[in-house]
Amino acid sequence: MSETRVLPEPHKYAVCAPADTPIKNFYKGIYDEVFIFYHPFIKPISIGYDLFEPETYPGKNEIIEKCQMVTWNQFLTISEIESYRHLDIGLRTRIMGLKKEYANEVISKKIQDTCEKHQLIAPMEGFFPEFLMNKVLLSIKHEGHDWIWSGDEFCTERKLEYIDDLINDNEALRNQHLNLFTHNNEVLLTTHWDSHFSLLCSDKDTIKKIVKFAGLEGFFCDEKTDIYWSLRNTSFN
């Protein structure tokens, strides 16, 4: 008779909050604040639109050099989608990430039509955003960190990385369910596997510095914010 092996609970300083609990409550006692930042759309400029397929998807630095970033705010304007909440729901609907009663096929089609009209690439779920990561990593380096740990979804495997290497490597940060955290757990960057945004966890002053330096678009979590914030009855737009 084989023994049942049960994984230990993951270290909270190194993984994404689960979808069924308020985010700040999950990190309570570890990180004071959490900032949700949206993954931007991509507009190819000096690179082929048709290259954005799994087999030929460009690397991080190639995207930064040869494409233009389109923020969620800019996409709302050109798509005439009403709010960030609706855009998040539409992106989730596109990947069949919502139950039927929560999905919105009308917004999903608006996203698809807008991307086709303006030759835009929608952000991919579960990956760090290529356009932002070099600036985020550089801002973490400015906070005094030369090294950062990278881990898989539950951080059962992790590797210590030199931040400059991650910035310079065109193929870095391609792994799905990646978590990045500083050596003494001052900062955590993590992305939910079925979402189009990432979490930046730290103290408020550090987060504000990183948000300003990297030009992140998003919002601070309150006590009720969870991974599916766009579905909740909230005043946030």
Side-chain angles (χ1 to χ4, degrees):
M1 188 174 182
S2 61
E3 177 186 0
T4 301
R5 300 182 181 185
V6 180
L7 285 174
E9 289 294 317
H11 295 133
K12 292 185 177 182
Y13 61 77
V15 295
C16 185
D20 58 354
T21 187
I23 295 170
K24 288 188 70 174
N25 184 62
F26 178 77
Y27 293 117
K28 189 174 182 179
I30 303 172
Y31 297 113
D32 298 334
E33 298 288 346
V34 181
F35 187 85
I36 285 177
F37 63 95
Y38 311 133
H39 297 175
F41 290 75
I42 299 169
K43 182 174 180 59
I45 301 297
S46 59
I47 191 173
Y49 179 76
D50 57 349
L51 289 179
F52 286 80
E53 298 292 340
E55 300 81 10
T56 57
Y57 204 91
K60 168 172 60 68
N61 295 339
E62 194 173 7
I63 289 174
I64 293 171
E65 294 167 5
K66 299 180 179 180
C67 300
Q68 178 182 327
M69 182 175 76
V70 177
T71 66
W72 280 28
N73 184 55
Q74 291 169 327
F75 193 86
L76 291 181
T77 299
I78 61 176
S79 66
E80 299 184 345
I81 292 173
E82 182 180 343
S83 67
Y84 297 115
R85 291 179 58 216
H86 286 90
L87 180 51
D88 186 64
I89 290 170
L91 287 169
R92 291 186 182 279
T93 302
R94 288 181 77 245
I95 62 168
M96 296 180 286
L98 294 175
K99 293 180 180 178
K100 188 175 181 179
E101 59 265 33
Y102 298 118
N104 191 315
E105 297 294 344
V106 173
I107 298 177
S108 176
K109 188 175 187 306
K110 271 192 176 184
I111 294 173
Q112 185 63 33
D113 291 346
T114 302
C115 285
E116 290 178 359
K117 179 180 179 181
H118 295 275
Q119 295 280 279
L120 301 177
I121 310 299
M124 296 179 66
E125 72 279 6
F127 287 87
F128 285 128
E130 295 92 349
F131 262 118
L132 300 175
M133 288 312 295
N134 279 2
K135 286 187 176 181
V136 171
L137 289 168
L138 188 57
S139 64
I140 291 174
K141 184 179 177 181
H142 287 171
E143 291 300 305
H145 307 284
D146 289 324
W147 298 84
I148 198 163
W149 288 94
S150 68
D152 58 4
E153 182 180 8
F154 300 110
C155 226
T156 54
E157 295 184 6
R158 59 188 72 180
K159 180 183 178 183
L160 188 60
E161 304 271 11
Y162 195 58
I163 288 180
D164 282 346
D165 290 344
L166 291 181
I167 292 173
N168 294 327
D169 186 355
N170 189 43
E171 302 300 319
L173 307 179
R174 281 196 182 275
N175 294 330
Q176 207 168 11
H177 317 315
L178 203 65
N179 299 288
L180 298 171
F181 53 98
T182 55
H183 188 65
N184 291 317
N185 315 323
E186 299 93 341
V187 180
L188 167 66
L189 285 163
T190 181
T191 297
H192 178 252
W193 65 275
D194 213 13
S195 298
H196 305 82
F197 53 81
S198 293
L199 309 182
L200 170 59
C201 310
S202 189
D203 62 87
K204 196 157 195 173
D205 287 344
T206 299
I207 290 176
K208 284 183 175 180
K209 291 177 185 176
I210 295 173
V211 167
K212 183 178 180 180
F213 183 90
L216 304 182
E217 179 188 34
F219 62 97
F220 277 98
C221 295
D222 63 22
E223 302 305 320
K224 295 182 179 179
T225 307
D226 62 18
I227 294 296
Y228 287 90
W229 52 270
S230 59
L231 303 180
R232 312 308 177 203
N233 184 17
T234 173
S235 59
F236 181 76
N237 293 318

